Amino acid sequence: MKQQIEALLQAAIAELKAAAAIPADLQPRIQLDRPRDKSHGDFATNLALMLAKPAKQNPRALAEAIIAAIPENNVLAKTDIAGPGFINFTVNQGQLIAQLNAAWADERCGVPLAEQPQTVVIDYSSPNLAKEMHVGHLRSTIIGDAVARTLSLQGHKVIPQNHVGDWGTQFGMLLAHMEDTLQEGNSEALELADLETFYKAAKKRFDDEEGFADRARALVVKLQSGDAYCKQLWQQFIDTSLAHCQEVYDRLGVQLNRSHVMAESAYNDDLANVVTDLTEKGLLVENQGAKCVFLDEFKGKENEPLPIIVQKKDGGYLYATSDLAAVRYRVGTLQADRAIYVVDARQSLHFQQIFTLSRKAGYADASTSLEHLGFGMVLGKDGRPYKSRDGGVTKLADLLDEAERRAAELIASKGTDLSAEEQANVARVVGIAAVKYADLSKNRTSDYVFDWDTMLSFEGNTAPYLLYAYTRVYSIFQKAGLQLHEVTGDFVLATEQDETLANKLAQFPEIIASVGNKGMPHFLCGYMFELAGAFSSFYEACPILNADDAALQQSRLKLAALTARILQQGLALLGIKTLEKM
Ligand code: ARG
């Protein structure tokens, strides 16, 4: 619907240009919004206000001219000018019903397949393997998963890349400590020990124990030059660490697995090539022994040039070097049309530098979109980075345990007729969903406060609220002895509430389009919250099973079923399962 109105406006603009009513070189970006207030119609645009100045015209007069130039169509029932020159559109009910019919018949609830499917490489989760996954890895992992699922639904070819950090200098001390642990005959120690403790022990020895640091450094050099013994030791560590990650992914309902791991180490053999290539292209300079690139686009606070260091004085490579190799691989080998990086916003400068340099070096041309989807931090109630009770970083596994425990208490406190087994399942789903949803429903670019009480509340834009809304619709069908798809008949929009709900349902494809474009899952959450609200108002005002006549009853059942399907589809895009009872 939105696209159809956009197309009508494009046609109107073209018409006005052809008639020389506005300058031919104007390329306005058409913005269509859904007004909050129903009296402003179904869509509104500020197009006339935007064009007034460059076209040197009065905005209201221009709005009239635009309306007059809109081609004949059966999409719009009414067009009005409001305020200083907004144009409000009211959609033809026949069109709305046609859209509902299409959504009803479609397994993707009306989400169209992309006309030009893209190859989208998406880098997410990407933890450093030296430690266990902690709360800081939550955001990248679940935002990336939601964006990946959304793009797949739209028919794009999605290639996840888990760019795990497995190659830094820290591995030297881990290997040294591991060597000793294994020599003491503690072969199970590594498997069972939690990595956090292991890391701390190694770090302590690195800082305090004579000779240990030198041994650690020597081991890294051996490892990086391909020594078989070191490699085997290292591989054992990496396998253990990845197994820990996989447990977390499975619990979170995130689709990542071993096949998506494309570690930093995988680029090792290509790093020298990157340096040679940048040298040949005349982009590298030596600065105090290190090989650097200086780009005019990046300056420090005092306007001093900022280097991107690609090789240290001692010959070692850096984070930036493997990211350059990764761009070459993603664009050159994987043929990405879009390469997306879901990484902490604090790495924004790094990615801007990598992207700019990649374009200069020809690793990505203008047809490839390179996008850093940055996100803010998870904060505690004190407004500081979220910490565990003992003041350390919170392991993700522990956080999820606590979520499940709290959800179980919540379910028990509500009084329930579910069996113990069912209750345990509900607690698992609700607990994990609450943590994920609390994160995904926030604008990813901001920091947010992690708060158990709000995320486990049945009120507001929360997972429990939406899961419950789904069970409510589901129970109507149970009562009627029907399956969701077992309704027939036409959509009849008899009252304002029927129509409001219908309008919300028809909006789903637009929302998915914007989540896919901008990589913003919170658009979807906000939408589902509104949809559940529209359903509530509808359910209060409009009898379903006791509707006045059979046709209205069928229509309302269909609206309810489509609500359930869209909630299920939407939650599935966030990697959240729905429940039939809770
Ligand atoms: N391992 C890095 C970290 O934990 C994130 C890697 C993100 N991806 C990338 N291609 N740089 O900070």
Side-chain angles (χ1 to χ4, degrees), residues 113-131:
L113 286 177
E115 277 166 31
Q116 283 164 334
Q118 294 184 311
T119 298
V120 187
V121 172
I122 163 161
D123 180 326
Y124 64 105
S125 195
S126 307
N128 289 330
L129 296 184
K131 295 187 181 186

Side-chain angles (χ1 to χ4, degrees), residues 45 131 210 326 334 383 390 424 516-517:
T45 184
K131 295 187 181 186
E210 238 200 73
L334 298 179
D390 63 12
N517 282 338

Side-chain angles (χ1 to χ4, degrees), residues 235-287:
Q235 190 64 54
Q236 204 180 330
F237 184 92
I238 297 301
D239 286 342
T240 312
S241 188
L242 280 174
H244 278 276
C245 293
Q246 193 61 49
E247 264 173 46
V248 172
Y249 297 151
D250 294 345
R251 287 182 74 183
L252 281 173
V254 160
Q255 287 177 321
L256 285 172
N257 60 44
R258 270 304 267 271
S259 77
H260 304 122
V261 172
M262 184 65 189
E264 274 184 32
S265 61
Y267 297 102
N268 192 44
D269 294 343
D270 205 29
L271 302 180
N273 300 336
V274 169
V275 173
T276 314
D277 185 71
L278 293 174
T279 313
E280 279 168 8
K281 292 188 168 132
L283 288 160
L284 275 193
V285 290
E286 287 231 0
N287 193 314

Side-chain angles (χ1 to χ4, degrees), residues 205-216:
R205 293 182 68 190
F206 187 85
D207 292 339
D208 301 347
E209 195 179 304
E210 238 200 73
F212 188 84
D214 291 333
R215 237 180 89 206

Side-chain angles (χ1 to χ4, degrees), residues 350-543:
H350 166 77
F351 285 109
Q352 293 324 310
Q353 289 180 319
I354 295 296
F355 295 167
T356 310
L357 179 51
S358 294
R359 299 222 186 268
K360 291 217 159 122
Y363 301 160
D365 66 16
S367 70
T368 314
S369 167
L370 303 173
E371 301 165 40
H372 173 210
L373 304 188
F375 52 80
M377 285 186 286
V378 183
L379 305 176
K381 278 195 183 158
D382 57 1
R384 316 191 42 130
Y386 189 80
K387 291 260 160 60
S388 63
R389 249 174 248 119
D390 63 12
V393 286
T394 307
K395 283 199 291 174
L396 215 35
D398 293 342
L399 189 88
L400 298 182
D401 288 344
E402 179 159 3
E404 289 178 7
R405 190 178 54 68
R406 285 180 183 258
E409 277 169 17
L410 177 74
I411 306 297
S413 76
K414 293 261 168 207
T416 160
D417 51 11
L418 299 177
S419 71
E421 196 183 319
E422 284 171 325
Q423 273 192 53
N425 179 46
V426 170
R428 225 177 354 258
V429 173
V430 172
I432 305 288
V435 170
K436 291 181 69 170
Y437 193 87
D439 190 305
L440 292 167
S441 59
K442 310 289 185 315
N443 183 332
R444 63 170 162 73
T445 59
S446 339
D447 299 341
Y448 78 91
V449 174
F450 188 95
D451 177 14
W452 290 113
D453 296 331
T454 353
M455 72 178 74
L456 283 165
S457 164
F458 277 89
E459 272 152 51
N461 189 9
T462 66
Y465 173 76
L466 286 180
L467 288 169
Y468 185 66
Y470 179 85
T471 63
R472 266 175 85 194
V473 190
Y474 194 83
S475 73
I476 298 170
F477 280 80
Q478 289 250 290
K479 228 184 189 165
L482 288 173
Q483 300 288 321
L484 290 179
H485 61 265
E486 281 177 336
V487 231
T488 51
D490 296 327
F491 285 106
V492 190
L493 305 180
T495 69
E496 195 188 313
Q497 285 85 1
D498 291 271
E499 199 174 312
T500 308
L501 179 58
N503 261 305
K504 268 286 149 232
L505 293 166
Q507 208 184 333
F508 184 56
E510 288 161 32
I511 298 296
I512 296 307
S514 60
V515 175
N517 282 338
K518 305 229 166 72
M520 293 279 200
H522 76 286
F523 291 159
L524 174 59
C525 299
Y527 164 77
M528 287 195 289
F529 180 54
E530 286 171 15
L531 175 61
F535 181 79
S536 263
S537 313
F538 160 85
Y539 192 51
E540 262 163 45
C542 307

Side-chain angles (χ1 to χ4, degrees), residues 123 126-128 137 163 165 319 323 330 341 343 347 350-351:
D123 180 326
S126 307
N128 289 330
H137 298 114
H163 189 86
Y319 186 52
D323 260 326
R330 291 169 189 188
Y341 296 73
V343 185
Q347 295 191 27
H350 166 77
F351 285 109

